[in-house]
Amino acid sequence: MNQKNVEKKRHLKVYYTNANGLYGKLAELRVLAESKELDVICITESHFSDELEEAEIQIPGFNLFKGNRDFKLERTKKSKEISDKGGSAIYVRDNLSIIDNSHDKGIDSTSLVIQTDIGNILIGCFYRSMSLNDTQNAEFLEYFSSKVNSESEKLLLGDFNCPNVSWVSGNVSGPTDSSNRSTIFQQNLLEIIHDAGMDWLITDEITRRRKYGDKIQESTIDQIFCSEDSLVSEFNVFSPLGKSDHVSVISELNIFSPVNVHCHDVDDIKRNWAKYSISDVLNLSLDTKWDFSNDLEDMSVEEAWNEIHGKLLKITDKITPVPIVQSG
């Protein structure tokens, strides 16, 4: 695989979106990572399971840190199995230094600490399902609070599902003594934010737009919190990733990316096709789960092809050697 050493000094770029299932959108994200020169990629609702192999979900030039869902959602009496939905993931450009043992995870969330030119910065990626029970909501808030109150500078991104919060005023609509589970959660989240003096970037932007029955539902449920507003020099809202109903956001931090950025050419892989085994191809094909991650009728042609393509690449990686390129 070719690498190009690009001499530049620029702001660190952090990308965020709720992907609503990332596997079928990875091809698009890999291209976006290079075209937008992203340094950190934060994804909520990754829908990754422990059955997926690392090679299937990697982005060239990035290290992956997962926060897969490992708990039960009990929306009904029959639904007591671990759901493979939800989850979060952080991709970090491989020329950035991660503090040892800083990566950990909470309820559908994950975080880590990066060494930068201004000191350490904590990056957290959070997803709060509306179906969490009281205990799970409390665990989510405990994990979130521990990151809010950490000593590092911090950027906390995610889908917090707080539709009743006015981010213009920083208040929750409704009575302060409400017994509604969702309202209580939103009040507790805002209390953590206010007590720590955190700032937020998104105020009146619509972050999710979806069709609900015969109507279009618009809401602001994604948010980016930072320890101080001077940490972020600029942020921009972009179109969703694939067919997700959430927007994408790129934040440029007042932190500079290392001078030598190794940009990998995703498609420039020279394989030795003369050394493959037909029997291995057949055996691996039989062992591969060809089912789609979602109902085919709900997927675009591109998303369906990306899933098939990913499975084919997984087989290819196992049967065709890739020449090792040593960098000087």
Side-chain angles (χ1 to χ4, degrees):
M1 180 180 295
N2 287 344
Q3 291 185 347
K4 294 173 283 186
N5 290 331
V6 182
E7 295 291 329
K8 56 174 66 180
K9 188 175 183 180
R10 56 173 175 75
H11 291 283
L12 199 75
K13 292 184 180 180
V14 181
Y15 173 91
Y16 163 76
T17 194
N18 177 321
N20 193 21
L22 182 59
Y23 190 87
K25 305 176 180 76
L26 271 167
E28 179 182 348
L29 185 57
R30 289 178 181 123
V31 173
L32 194 65
E34 297 303 331
S35 64
K36 295 292 187 181
E37 296 183 310
L38 305 178
D39 298 293
V40 180
I41 298 170
C42 295
I43 302 293
T44 54
E45 284 208 80
S46 55
H47 295 185
F48 287 162
S49 70
D50 292 336
E51 296 178 357
L52 285 172
E53 295 193 18
E54 292 292 317
E56 296 182 77
I57 52 179
Q58 285 290 351
I59 297 177
F62 285 78
N63 294 312
L64 170 60
F65 301 86
K66 296 176 292 184
N68 293 353
R69 175 173 289 175
D70 57 2
F71 60 92
K72 298 176 182 178
L73 280 180
E74 299 183 4
R75 280 175 283 189
T76 69
K77 292 182 179 179
K78 296 181 180 179
S79 176
K80 293 189 177 182
E81 297 299 321
I82 294 176
S83 167
D84 61 354
K85 305 297 184 181
S88 58
I90 302 178
Y91 293 86
V92 180
R93 183 75 71 171
D94 59 13
N95 62 340
L96 295 175
S97 298
I98 309 298
I99 299 295
D100 290 342
N101 302 318
S102 69
H103 173 238
D104 61 15
K105 55 180 291 189
I107 294 283
D108 275 342
S109 307
T110 190
S111 67
L112 48 80
V113 179
I114 299 174
Q115 289 180 315
T116 75
D117 60 336
I118 65 166
N120 297 338
I121 177 169
L122 185 150
I123 303 290
C125 187
F126 302 83
Y127 173 64
R128 204 277 293 197
S129 169
M130 295 285 282
S131 299
L132 296 184
N133 59 34
D134 291 339
T135 300
Q136 291 163 341
N137 272 325
E139 289 180 11
F140 179 96
L141 286 172
E142 182 179 7
Y143 181 75
F144 179 70
S145 178
S146 71
K147 303 309 172 186
V148 167
N149 292 295
S150 66
E151 294 182 358
S152 303
E153 295 289 350
K154 55 197 72 78
L155 189 74
L156 310 178
L157 315 93
D159 177 355
F160 297 90
N161 269 312
C162 293
N164 302 117
V165 172
S166 166
W167 293 108
V168 175
S169 63
N171 295 310
V172 181
S173 60
T176 56
D177 59 348
S178 172
S179 60
N180 179 272
R181 175 189 295 173
S182 178
T183 301
I184 292 173
F185 172 87
Q186 293 174 79
Q187 291 170 342
N188 290 337
L189 181 81
L190 274 189
E191 183 177 356
I192 293 171
I193 292 300
H194 288 315
D195 286 350
M198 296 282 284
D199 293 304
W200 55 85
L201 301 185
I202 297 172
T203 52
D204 54 359
E205 292 87 355
I206 300 300
T207 67
R208 184 181 68 179
R209 183 176 286 106
R210 65 177 180 173
K211 188 173 182 180
Y212 192 77
D214 296 329
K215 299 180 179 179
I216 300 298
Q217 183 185 72
E218 297 180 330
S219 53
T220 304
I221 56 177
D222 302 88
Q223 189 55 268
I224 301 174
F225 300 104
C226 51
S227 46
E228 54 182 89
D229 56 11
S230 62
L231 181 64
V232 180
S233 63
E234 181 180 354
F235 88 100
N236 293 287
V237 177
F238 295 88
S239 58
L241 186 67
K243 293 180 69 177
S244 172
D245 52 10
H246 292 251
V247 299
S248 303
V249 181
I250 296 180
S251 305
E252 295 191 25
L253 308 188
N254 282 315
I255 298 170
F256 288 103
S257 166
V259 174
N260 291 323
V261 179
H262 301 295
C263 297
H264 297 247
D265 189 341
V266 175
D267 298 320
D268 191 14
I269 302 177
K270 297 181 179 180
R271 301 181 183 274
N272 191 343
W273 291 102
K275 293 187 177 182
Y276 79 94
S277 165
I278 294 178
S279 61
D280 287 344
V281 174
L282 294 175
N283 290 332
L284 288 169
S285 298
L286 290 173
D287 291 339
T288 298
K289 295 181 179 180
W290 294 100
D291 297 335
F292 290 101
S293 60
N294 295 305
D295 292 335
L296 189 57
E297 62 183 17
D298 295 330
M299 301 175 69
S300 67
V301 173
E302 181 181 9
E303 288 175 326
W305 164 244
N306 286 339
E307 289 205 11
I308 295 174
H309 187 236
K311 295 177 189 294
L312 291 173
L313 284 178
K314 177 182 174 182
I315 295 173
T316 301
D317 288 339
K318 291 182 177 180
I319 64 172
T320 56
V322 179
I324 298 175
V325 180
Q326 296 183 346
S327 57

